[in-house]
Coordinates of all heavy atoms in Angstrom, one line a residue:
D1 N 152.2 78.0 88.1 CA 152.5 77.8 86.7 C 152.2 79.0 85.8 O 152.7 79.1 84.7 CB 151.7 76.6 86.1 CG 151.3 75.5 87.0 OD1 150.4 75.7 87.8 OD2 152.0 74.5 86.9
S2 N 151.2 79.8 86.2 CA 150.7 80.8 85.3 C 151.2 82.2 85.8 O 151.3 82.5 86.9 CB 149.2 80.8 85.3 OG 148.7 81.9 84.5
L3 N 151.4 83.1 84.8 CA 151.8 84.4 85.1 C 150.6 85.4 85.1 O 150.7 86.6 85.2 CB 152.8 84.9 84.1 CG 154.2 84.2 84.2 CD1 155.1 84.7 83.1 CD2 154.8 84.3 85.5
M4 N 149.4 84.8 84.9 CA 148.2 85.6 84.8 C 147.9 86.5 86.0 O 147.3 87.5 85.9 CB 146.9 84.7 84.5 CG 147.0 83.9 83.2 SD 147.0 85.1 81.8 CE 145.3 85.5 81.8
E5 N 148.4 86.1 87.2 CA 148.1 86.8 88.4 C 149.0 88.0 88.5 O 148.8 88.9 89.4 CB 148.3 85.9 89.6 CG 149.7 85.4 89.8 CD 149.8 84.3 90.8 OE1 149.5 83.1 90.5 OE2 150.1 84.7 92.0
F6 N 150.0 88.2 87.7 CA 150.9 89.3 87.8 C 150.6 90.4 86.8 O 150.1 90.2 85.7 CB 152.4 88.8 87.5 CG 152.9 87.8 88.5 CD1 152.8 86.5 88.2 CD2 153.5 88.3 89.7 CE1 153.3 85.6 89.1 CE2 153.9 87.4 90.6 CZ 153.8 86.0 90.3
N7 N 150.8 91.6 87.3 CA 150.7 92.8 86.4 C 152.0 93.0 85.6 O 153.0 92.9 86.2 CB 150.4 94.1 87.2 CG 149.1 94.0 87.9 OD1 148.1 93.5 87.4 ND2 149.0 94.6 89.1
V8 N 151.8 93.2 84.3 CA 153.0 93.3 83.5 C 153.0 94.7 82.9 O 151.9 95.2 82.5 CB 153.0 92.3 82.3 CG1 154.1 92.5 81.4 CG2 153.0 90.9 82.9
M9 N 154.1 95.4 83.0 CA 154.2 96.7 82.4 C 155.2 96.7 81.3 O 156.4 96.4 81.4 CB 154.8 97.7 83.5 CG 154.2 99.0 83.6 SD 154.8 99.9 85.1 CE 156.2 100.7 84.5
M10 N 154.7 96.9 80.1 CA 155.5 96.9 78.9 C 156.2 98.3 78.8 O 155.6 99.3 79.0 CB 154.7 96.6 77.6 CG 154.0 95.3 77.7 SD 155.2 93.9 77.8 CE 156.0 94.0 76.2
H11 N 157.5 98.2 78.4 CA 158.2 99.5 78.2 C 159.1 99.3 77.0 O 160.0 98.4 77.0 CB 159.0 99.8 79.4 CG 159.8 101.1 79.3 ND1 159.2 102.3 79.2 CD2 161.1 101.3 79.4 CE1 160.2 103.2 79.1 NE2 161.4 102.6 79.2
N12 N 159.0 100.2 76.0 CA 159.8 100.2 74.8 C 160.5 101.5 74.8 O 160.0 102.5 74.3 CB 159.0 99.9 73.6 CG 159.8 99.8 72.3 OD1 161.1 99.6 72.4 ND2 159.2 99.8 71.2
P13 N 161.7 101.6 75.4 CA 162.4 102.8 75.5 C 162.7 103.5 74.2 O 163.1 102.8 73.2 CB 163.7 102.5 76.3 CG 163.9 101.1 76.1 CD 162.5 100.5 75.9
R14 N 162.5 104.8 74.1 CA 162.8 105.5 72.8 C 164.1 106.4 73.0 O 164.5 106.9 72.0 CB 161.6 106.3 72.5 CG 160.5 105.5 72.0 CD 159.3 106.3 71.5 NE 158.2 105.4 71.0 CZ 157.2 105.0 71.7 NH1 157.1 105.3 73.0 NH2 156.3 104.2 71.2
Q15 N 164.5 106.6 74.2 CA 165.7 107.4 74.5 C 166.9 106.6 74.6 O 166.8 105.4 75.0 CB 165.5 108.2 75.8 CG 164.3 109.2 75.7 CD 164.0 109.8 77.1 OE1 164.0 109.1 78.1 NE2 163.8 111.1 77.1
K16 N 168.0 107.2 74.4 CA 169.3 106.5 74.6 C 169.5 106.2 76.1 O 168.9 106.8 77.0 CB 170.5 107.4 74.2 CG 170.5 107.6 72.7 CD 171.7 108.4 72.3 CE 171.8 108.5 70.8 NZ 173.1 109.1 70.3
I17 N 170.3 105.1 76.3 CA 170.4 104.6 77.7 C 171.0 105.7 78.6 O 170.6 105.8 79.8 CB 171.3 103.3 77.7 CG1 171.2 102.7 79.1 CG2 172.7 103.6 77.3 CD1 171.7 101.3 79.2
E18 N 171.9 106.5 78.1 CA 172.5 107.6 79.0 C 171.5 108.6 79.4 O 171.5 109.2 80.5 CB 173.7 108.2 78.4 CG 173.5 108.9 77.1 CD 173.8 108.0 75.9 OE1 173.6 106.8 75.9 OE2 174.2 108.6 74.8
V19 N 170.5 108.9 78.6 CA 169.4 109.8 79.0 C 168.5 109.2 80.0 O 168.1 109.8 81.0 CB 168.6 110.2 77.7 CG1 167.4 111.1 78.1 CG2 169.5 111.0 76.7
R20 N 168.1 107.9 79.8 CA 167.3 107.2 80.7 C 167.9 107.0 82.1 O 167.2 106.9 83.1 CB 166.8 105.8 80.1 CG 165.9 105.9 78.9 CD 165.5 104.6 78.4 NE 166.6 104.0 77.7 CZ 167.0 102.7 77.7 NH1 166.4 101.9 78.5 NH2 168.0 102.3 77.0
A21 N 169.2 106.9 82.1 CA 170.0 106.7 83.3 C 170.1 107.9 84.2 O 170.4 107.8 85.4 CB 171.3 106.1 83.0
M22 N 169.9 109.1 83.6 CA 170.2 110.4 84.4 C 169.5 110.5 85.7 O 170.1 110.8 86.7 CB 169.8 111.6 83.5 CG 170.9 111.9 82.5 SD 170.8 113.6 81.9 CE 170.2 113.2 80.2
P23 N 168.2 110.2 85.8 CA 167.5 110.3 87.2 C 168.1 109.3 88.2 O 168.4 109.7 89.3 CB 166.0 110.0 86.9 CG 165.9 110.2 85.4 CD 167.2 109.9 84.8
A24 N 168.3 108.1 87.8 CA 168.9 107.1 88.8 C 170.3 107.5 89.1 O 170.8 107.4 90.3 CB 168.9 105.7 88.1
K25 N 171.1 108.0 88.1 CA 172.5 108.4 88.4 C 172.5 109.5 89.3 O 173.3 109.5 90.3 CB 173.1 108.7 87.0 CG 174.6 109.1 87.2 CD 175.2 109.5 85.8 CE 176.7 109.8 86.0 NZ 177.1 110.9 85.3
S26 N 171.7 110.5 89.1 CA 171.6 111.7 90.0 C 171.3 111.3 91.4 O 171.9 111.7 92.4 CB 170.6 112.6 89.5 OG 170.4 113.7 90.3
M27 N 170.3 110.4 91.6 CA 169.9 110.0 93.0 C 171.0 109.2 93.6 O 171.3 109.3 94.8 CB 168.6 109.2 92.9 CG 167.4 110.1 92.7 SD 165.9 109.2 93.0 CE 165.8 109.1 94.7
S28 N 171.7 108.3 92.8 CA 172.8 107.5 93.3 C 173.9 108.4 93.7 O 174.5 108.1 94.8 CB 173.2 106.5 92.2 OG 174.2 105.7 92.7
E29 N 174.3 109.3 92.9 CA 175.4 110.2 93.3 C 175.1 111.1 94.5 O 176.0 111.5 95.2 CB 175.8 111.1 92.1 CG 176.5 110.3 91.0 CD 176.7 111.1 89.7 OE1 176.1 112.2 89.5 OE2 177.5 110.6 88.8
G30 N 173.9 111.3 94.7 CA 173.4 112.1 95.9 C 173.3 111.3 97.1 O 172.8 111.8 98.1
G31 N 173.6 110.0 97.0 CA 173.5 109.1 98.2 C 172.1 108.7 98.5 O 171.8 108.2 99.6
R32 N 171.2 108.8 97.6 CA 169.7 108.5 97.9 C 169.3 107.1 97.4 O 168.2 106.8 97.5 CB 168.9 109.6 97.2 CG 169.1 110.9 97.8 CD 168.2 112.0 97.4 NE 166.8 111.6 97.7 CZ 165.8 112.1 97.0 NH1 166.0 113.0 96.0 NH2 164.6 111.8 97.4
I33 N 170.3 106.3 96.9 CA 170.0 104.9 96.6 C 170.9 104.0 97.4 O 172.1 104.2 97.4 CB 170.2 104.7 95.1 CG1 169.1 105.5 94.3 CG2 170.1 103.2 94.7 CD1 169.1 105.4 92.8
K34 N 170.3 103.1 98.0 CA 171.1 102.1 98.9 C 171.0 100.7 98.2 O 170.0 100.4 97.7 CB 170.5 102.1 100.3 CG 170.4 103.4 100.9 CD 171.7 104.0 101.3 CE 171.5 105.3 102.1 NZ 172.5 106.3 101.9
L35 N 172.1 100.0 98.3 CA 172.1 98.6 97.9 C 171.9 97.7 99.1 O 172.5 97.9 100.1 CB 173.4 98.2 97.2 CG 173.7 98.9 95.8 CD1 175.1 98.4 95.3 CD2 172.6 98.6 94.8
I36 N 171.1 96.7 98.9 CA 171.0 95.6 99.9 C 172.3 94.8 99.7 O 172.6 94.4 98.6 CB 169.7 94.8 99.7 CG1 168.5 95.6 99.9 CG2 169.7 93.6 100.6 CD1 167.2 95.0 99.5
R37 N 172.9 94.5 100.8 CA 174.2 93.7 100.7 C 173.9 92.3 100.2 O 173.0 91.7 100.6 CB 174.8 93.6 102.1 CG 176.2 93.0 102.1 CD 176.9 93.1 103.4 NE 177.1 94.6 103.6 CZ 177.4 95.2 104.7 NH1 177.4 94.5 105.8 NH2 177.6 96.5 104.8
G38 N 174.7 91.9 99.2 CA 174.5 90.6 98.6 C 175.7 90.2 97.8 O 176.6 91.0 97.5
F39 N 175.8 89.0 97.4 CA 176.9 88.4 96.6 C 177.1 89.1 95.3 O 178.1 89.1 94.7 CB 176.7 86.9 96.4 CG 175.5 86.6 95.5 CD1 175.7 86.5 94.2 CD2 174.3 86.4 96.0 CE1 174.7 86.2 93.3 CE2 173.2 86.1 95.2 CZ 173.4 86.0 93.8
W40 N 176.0 89.8 94.8 CA 176.0 90.4 93.5 C 176.5 91.8 93.5 O 176.7 92.4 92.4 CB 174.6 90.3 93.0 CG 173.6 90.9 93.9 CD1 172.9 90.2 94.9 CD2 173.2 92.3 94.0 NE1 172.1 91.1 95.6 CE2 172.3 92.4 95.1 CE3 173.5 93.4 93.3 CZ2 171.7 93.5 95.5 CZ3 172.9 94.6 93.7 CH2 172.0 94.7 94.8
N41 N 176.7 92.4 94.7 CA 177.1 93.9 94.7 C 178.3 94.2 94.0 O 178.3 95.2 93.2 CB 177.3 94.3 96.2 CG 176.0 94.3 97.0 OD1 175.8 93.5 97.9 ND2 175.1 95.2 96.7
Q42 N 179.4 93.5 94.2 CA 180.6 93.8 93.5 C 180.5 93.8 92.0 O 181.0 94.7 91.3 CB 181.7 92.9 94.0 CG 183.1 93.3 93.5 CD 184.2 92.4 94.2 OE1 183.9 91.2 94.5 NE2 185.4 92.9 94.3
H43 N 179.8 92.7 91.5 CA 179.7 92.6 90.0 C 178.8 93.8 89.5 O 179.1 94.4 88.4 CB 179.0 91.3 89.7 CG 178.8 91.1 88.2 ND1 179.9 90.8 87.3 CD2 177.7 91.1 87.4 CE1 179.4 90.7 86.1 NE2 178.1 90.9 86.2
F44 N 177.7 94.1 90.2 CA 176.8 95.2 89.8 C 177.6 96.5 89.7 O 177.5 97.3 88.8 CB 175.6 95.2 90.8 CG 174.7 96.4 90.5 CD1 173.9 96.4 89.4 CD2 174.6 97.4 91.4 CE1 173.1 97.5 89.1 CE2 173.7 98.5 91.2 CZ 172.9 98.5 90.0
I45 N 178.3 96.8 90.8 CA 179.0 98.1 90.9 C 180.1 98.1 89.8 O 180.3 99.2 89.1 CB 179.6 98.3 92.3 CG1 178.5 98.5 93.3 CG2 180.6 99.5 92.3 CD1 178.9 98.4 94.7
R46 N 180.8 97.0 89.5 CA 181.8 97.0 88.5 C 181.1 97.3 87.1 O 181.7 98.0 86.3 CB 182.5 95.6 88.5 CG 183.7 95.6 87.6 CD 184.5 94.3 87.7 NE 184.7 93.9 89.0 CZ 184.3 92.6 89.4 NH1 183.8 91.8 88.6 NH2 184.5 92.3 90.7
E47 N 180.0 96.7 86.9 CA 179.3 96.9 85.6 C 178.9 98.4 85.4 O 179.1 99.0 84.4 CB 178.0 96.0 85.5 CG 177.4 96.1 84.1 CD 176.3 95.1 83.9 OE1 176.4 93.9 84.3 OE2 175.2 95.5 83.4
L48 N 178.4 99.0 86.5 CA 178.1 100.4 86.5 C 179.3 101.3 86.2 O 179.3 102.2 85.4 CB 177.5 100.9 87.8 CG 176.1 100.4 88.1 CD1 175.7 100.7 89.6 CD2 175.1 100.9 87.2
E49 N 180.4 101.0 86.9 CA 181.7 101.8 86.7 C 182.3 101.6 85.3 O 182.8 102.6 84.7 CB 182.7 101.3 87.7 CG 182.3 101.7 89.1 CD 183.3 101.1 90.2 OE1 184.0 100.2 89.9 OE2 183.3 101.7 91.3
R50 N 182.1 100.5 84.7 CA 182.8 100.2 83.4 C 181.9 100.6 82.2 O 182.3 100.6 81.1 CB 183.1 98.7 83.3 CG 184.2 98.3 84.2 CD 184.5 96.9 84.0 NE 185.6 96.5 84.9 CZ 186.0 95.3 85.1 NH1 185.4 94.3 84.5 NH2 187.0 95.0 85.9
F51 N 180.6 100.9 82.5 CA 179.7 101.2 81.4 C 180.1 102.4 80.6 O 180.3 103.5 81.2 CB 178.3 101.3 81.9 CG 177.3 101.5 80.8 CD1 176.9 100.5 80.0 CD2 176.7 102.8 80.6 CE1 176.0 100.7 79.0 CE2 175.8 103.0 79.7 CZ 175.4 101.9 78.8
K52 N 180.1 102.3 79.3 CA 180.4 103.4 78.4 C 179.2 103.5 77.4 O 179.1 102.5 76.6 CB 181.7 103.3 77.7 CG 182.9 103.0 78.5 CD 183.4 104.3 79.1 CE 184.7 104.2 79.9 NZ 184.5 104.1 81.3
P53 N 178.4 104.5 77.5 CA 177.2 104.5 76.6 C 177.4 104.4 75.1 O 176.6 103.8 74.4 CB 176.5 105.8 76.9 CG 177.2 106.3 78.1 CD 178.5 105.6 78.3
D54 N 178.6 104.9 74.7 CA 178.8 104.9 73.2 C 179.5 103.6 72.7 O 179.7 103.4 71.5 CB 179.7 106.1 72.8 CG 181.0 106.1 73.7 OD1 181.1 105.5 74.8 OD2 181.9 106.8 73.2
K55 N 179.9 102.7 73.7 CA 180.5 101.4 73.3 C 179.5 100.4 73.0 O 178.5 100.2 73.7 CB 181.4 101.0 74.5 CG 182.2 99.7 74.1 CD 183.0 99.4 75.3 CE 183.7 98.0 75.1 NZ 184.4 97.6 76.3
K56 N 179.6 99.7 71.8 CA 178.7 98.7 71.4 C 179.1 97.4 72.0 O 180.2 97.1 72.4 CB 178.7 98.6 69.9 CG 178.3 99.8 69.1 CD 176.9 100.1 69.3 CE 176.5 101.4 68.6 NZ 175.3 102.0 69.1
K57 N 178.1 96.5 72.1 CA 178.3 95.1 72.6 C 179.0 95.0 73.9 O 180.0 94.5 74.1 CB 179.0 94.3 71.5 CG 178.2 94.1 70.3 CD 178.9 93.1 69.3 CE 178.1 93.0 68.1 NZ 178.6 92.1 67.1
Q58 N 178.4 95.6 74.9 CA 178.9 95.5 76.3 C 177.8 95.0 77.2 O 176.6 95.1 76.9 CB 179.5 96.9 76.7 CG 178.4 97.9 76.9 CD 179.0 99.2 77.4 OE1 179.9 99.3 78.2 NE2 178.5 100.3 76.9
R59 N 178.2 94.6 78.3 CA 177.2 94.1 79.3 C 176.5 95.3 79.9 O 177.1 96.2 80.5 CB 177.9 93.3 80.4 CG 178.4 92.0 80.0 CD 179.0 91.3 81.2 NE 179.2 89.9 80.9 CZ 178.2 88.9 81.0 NH1 177.0 89.2 81.5 NH2 178.5 87.7 80.7
D60 N 175.2 95.3 79.7 CA 174.4 96.4 80.3 C 173.1 95.9 80.9 O 172.2 96.7 81.2 CB 174.1 97.5 79.3 CG 173.3 97.1 78.1 OD1 172.8 95.9 78.1 OD2 173.0 98.0 77.3
D61 N 172.9 94.6 81.0 CA 171.7 94.0 81.5 C 171.3 94.5 82.9 O 170.1 94.9 83.1 CB 171.7 92.5 81.4 CG 172.8 91.9 82.2 OD1 173.9 92.5 82.2 OD2 172.6 90.7 82.7
Q62 N 172.3 94.6 83.8 CA 172.0 95.1 85.1 C 171.7 96.6 85.1 O 170.9 97.1 85.9 CB 173.1 94.7 86.1 CG 173.3 93.2 86.3 CD 174.4 93.0 87.3 OE1 174.1 92.8 88.4 NE2 175.6 92.9 86.8
I63 N 172.4 97.3 84.2 CA 172.2 98.7 84.2 C 170.8 99.0 83.7 O 170.1 99.9 84.2 CB 173.2 99.4 83.3 CG1 174.6 99.2 83.9 CG2 172.9 100.8 83.0 CD1 175.8 99.6 83.1
V64 N 170.3 98.4 82.6 CA 169.0 98.6 82.1 C 168.0 98.2 83.1 O 167.0 98.9 83.3 CB 168.8 97.7 80.8 CG1 167.4 97.7 80.3 CG2 169.7 98.3 79.7
T65 N 168.2 97.1 83.8 CA 167.2 96.7 84.9 C 167.2 97.7 86.0 O 166.1 98.0 86.5 CB 167.6 95.3 85.4 OG1 167.7 94.4 84.3 CG2 166.7 94.8 86.5
F66 N 168.3 98.2 86.4 CA 168.4 99.2 87.4 C 167.7 100.5 87.0 O 166.9 101.1 87.8 CB 169.9 99.6 87.7 CG 170.1 100.7 88.7 CD1 169.6 100.7 90.0 CD2 170.9 101.8 88.3 CE1 169.9 101.7 90.8 CE2 171.1 102.9 89.1 CZ 170.6 102.8 90.4
I67 N 167.9 100.9 85.8 CA 167.2 102.1 85.3 C 165.7 101.9 85.3 O 164.9 102.8 85.7 CB 167.7 102.5 83.9 CG1 169.1 102.9 83.9 CG2 166.8 103.5 83.2 CD1 169.8 103.0 82.5
Q68 N 165.2 100.8 84.8 CA 163.8 100.5 84.8 C 163.2 100.4 86.2 O 162.1 100.9 86.5 CB 163.5 99.3 84.0 CG 162.0 99.0 83.8 CD 161.3 100.0 83.0 OE1 161.8 101.0 82.5 NE2 160.0 99.9 83.1
A69 N 163.9 99.7 87.1 CA 163.5 99.6 88.5 C 163.3 101.0 89.1 O 162.4 101.2 89.8 CB 164.4 98.7 89.3
H70 N 164.3 101.8 88.9 CA 164.2 103.2 89.4 C 163.0 103.9 88.9 O 162.3 104.6 89.6 CB 165.5 104.0 89.1 CG 165.5 105.4 89.6 ND1 165.1 106.4 88.8 CD2 165.8 105.9 90.8 CE1 165.1 107.5 89.5 NE2 165.5 107.3 90.7
R71 N 162.8 103.8 87.6 CA 161.7 104.4 86.9 C 160.3 104.0 87.5 O 159.5 104.8 87.8 CB 161.7 104.1 85.4 CG 160.6 104.7 84.6 CD 160.8 104.3 83.1 NE 159.6 104.7 82.4 CZ 158.6 103.9 82.1 NH1 158.6 102.7 82.6 NH2 157.6 104.4 81.5
V72 N 160.2 102.7 87.7 CA 158.9 102.1 88.3 C 158.8 102.6 89.7 O 157.7 103.0 90.1 CB 158.9 100.6 88.1 CG1 157.8 100.0 88.9 CG2 158.8 100.2 86.7
A73 N 159.9 102.5 90.5 CA 159.8 102.9 91.9 C 159.4 104.3 92.0 O 158.6 104.7 92.9 CB 161.1 102.6 92.6
T74 N 160.0 105.2 91.2 CA 159.7 106.6 91.2 C 158.3 106.9 90.9 O 157.6 107.6 91.5 CB 160.6 107.4 90.3 OG1 162.0 107.1 90.7 CG2 160.4 108.9 90.3
F75 N 157.8 106.2 89.8 CA 156.4 106.3 89.4 C 155.4 106.0 90.5 O 154.5 106.7 90.8 CB 156.1 105.4 88.2 CG 154.7 105.3 87.8 CD1 154.1 106.3 87.1 CD2 153.9 104.2 88.2 CE1 152.8 106.2 86.7 CE2 152.6 104.1 87.8 CZ 152.0 105.2 87.1
Y76 N 155.6 104.8 91.2 CA 154.7 104.4 92.3 C 154.9 105.3 93.5 O 153.9 105.6 94.2 CB 154.9 102.9 92.6 CG 154.2 102.1 91.6 CD1 155.0 101.4 90.7 CD2 152.8 102.0 91.6 CE1 154.3 100.6 89.7 CE2 152.2 101.2 90.6 CZ 153.0 100.5 89.7 OH 152.3 99.7 88.8
N77 N 156.1 105.8 93.8 CA 156.3 106.7 94.9 C 155.6 108.0 94.7 O 154.9 108.5 95.6 CB 157.8 106.9 95.1 CG 158.0 107.7 96.4 OD1 157.3 107.6 97.4 ND2 159.1 108.5 96.4
V78 N 155.6 108.5 93.5 CA 155.0 109.8 93.1 C 153.4 109.6 93.2 O 152.7 110.4 93.7 CB 155.4 110.3 91.7 CG1 154.5 111.4 91.2 CG2 156.8 110.7 91.8
R79 N 153.0 108.5 92.7 CA 151.5 108.2 92.7 C 151.0 108.1 94.1 O 150.0 108.7 94.5 CB 151.2 106.9 92.0 CG 151.1 107.1 90.5 CD 150.6 105.9 89.8 NE 149.2 105.6 90.1 CZ 148.6 104.5 89.8 NH1 149.3 103.5 89.1 NH2 147.4 104.3 90.1
S80 N 151.7 107.4 95.0 CA 151.2 107.2 96.4 C 151.3 108.5 97.1 O 150.5 108.9 97.9 CB 152.0 106.1 97.1 OG 153.4 106.5 97.3
S81 N 152.4 109.3 96.9 CA 152.5 110.6 97.5 C 151.4 111.6 97.1 O 150.8 112.3 97.9 CB 153.8 111.3 97.2 OG 154.9 110.5 97.7
S82 N 151.1 111.5 95.8 CA 150.0 112.4 95.2 C 148.6 112.0 95.8 O 147.8 112.8 96.1 CB 150.0 112.3 93.7 OG 151.2 112.8 93.2
A83 N 148.4 110.7 95.8 CA 147.1 110.1 96.3 C 146.9 110.5 97.7 O 145.8 110.9 98.1 CB 147.1 108.6 96.1
S84 N 148.0 110.4 98.6 CA 147.8 110.7 100.0 C 147.6 112.2 100.2 O 147.0 112.6 101.2 CB 149.0 110.2 100.8 OG 150.2 110.9 100.4
S85 N 148.0 113.0 99.3 CA 147.8 114.5 99.5 C 146.5 114.9 98.8 O 146.2 116.1 98.8 CB 149.0 115.2 99.0 OG 149.1 115.1 97.6
G86 N 145.8 114.0 98.1 CA 144.6 114.4 97.5 C 144.8 114.8 96.0 O 143.8 115.1 95.4
V87 N 146.0 114.8 95.5 CA 146.3 115.2 94.2 C 146.3 113.9 93.3 O 147.0 113.0 93.7 CB 147.6 116.0 94.0 CG1 147.9 116.3 92.6 CG2 147.5 117.2 94.9
I88 N 145.6 113.9 92.2 CA 145.7 112.7 91.3 C 146.2 113.1 90.0 O 145.9 114.1 89.4 CB 144.3 112.1 91.2 CG1 143.8 111.6 92.5 CG2 144.3 111.0 90.2 CD1 142.4 111.1 92.5

């Protein structure tokens, strides 16, 4: 019933979505991001392909989630790599 056991990371983006998307886009175009096969793949890919940053009132919920997930995954990957090498 309670969410008290979960860690919550608040994020209030200050940059435009196209700027925040650059790292994930770069990794994706380089073949470094893989999708787990699922019923949602086609819809997700279609949303990515149709997204126009300058267009108002468009579906971008999956894009924003993807950008944030990439940001968090990169953060934790860098932290664990640094910690294992002794760099903090």
Side-chain angles (χ1 to χ4, degrees):
D1 327 81
S2 174
L3 296 177
M4 295 296 286
E5 63 189 83
F6 295 96
N7 291 326
V8 177
M9 221 169 91
M10 299 299 291
H11 179 64
N12 186 11
R14 292 186 175 91
Q15 297 172 313
K16 292 184 175 188
I17 192 168
E18 58 267 31
V19 174
R20 291 181 284 136
M22 280 197 252
K25 181 179 183 222
S26 176
M27 286 189 77
S28 184
E29 289 173 345
R32 297 186 58 204
I33 293 180
K34 308 288 185 212
L35 291 180
I36 297 171
R37 187 168 294 160
F39 68 91
W40 51 272
N41 292 110
Q42 190 174 25
H43 180 75
F44 176 67
I45 292 168
R46 192 175 314 126
E47 186 173 314
L48 290 171
E49 291 172 340
R50 292 180 178 172
F51 182 73
K52 305 281 186 257
D54 54 340
K55 184 179 174 188
K56 300 291 180 200
K57 296 188 180 183
Q58 65 179 324
R59 290 186 164 270
D60 67 357
D61 55 329
Q62 293 184 95
I63 293 169
V64 170
T65 303
F66 173 60
I67 292 167
Q68 184 62 11
H70 177 268
R71 180 179 171 270
V72 170
T74 303
F75 172 78
Y76 283 106
N77 189 31
V78 168
R79 278 186 69 189
S80 65
S81 296
S82 297
S84 65
S85 66
V87 178
I88 298 177

